[in-house]
Amino acid sequence: LALPPAIDRDPADLSAAELGALGIPPLPASLEEALAALARDTTATAWFSPTLMEVYRRLKLWECDLAHELDEVTLLARYRDAY
């Protein structure tokens, strides 16, 4: 993969316009968005077998569905207990 141009500031301190001008795309805002971005990335998906990618995608979408059904306190308690 080609490296992007170096910058001399923390990207978190840049505005959306500045990030765009530097060619720095925003990170996905949800797991669903991240999974969609992963599916579009032919380089990353080529690192894994199609079967593994499909199982991973389905597992993560199941986790998303489960998380959407839980209230915040219950969801955070599950994360606390798991990790």
Side-chain angles (χ1 to χ4, degrees):
L1 298 174
L3 291 174
I7 61 172
D8 60 357
R9 297 176 283 180
D10 184 344
D13 294 335
L14 301 175
S15 69
E18 291 171 313
L19 290 170
L22 292 168
I24 302 172
L27 292 173
S30 68
L31 180 53
E32 292 94 340
E33 287 181 19
L35 291 170
L38 175 60
R40 291 189 305 271
D41 188 327
T42 56
T43 300
T45 56
W47 297 333
F48 307 99
S49 73
T51 301
L52 178 60
M53 287 305 306
E54 181 61 15
V55 168
Y56 180 79
R57 186 186 71 80
R58 287 182 185 209
L59 173 64
K60 292 300 170 184
L61 288 174
W62 172 80
E63 289 176 355
C64 289
D65 290 342
L66 180 62
H68 291 308
E69 294 173 3
L70 301 174
D71 62 272
E72 184 177 357
V73 171
T74 304
L75 179 61
L76 294 176
R78 282 182 177 236
Y79 281 118
R80 181 199 64 226
D81 294 344
Y83 301 103

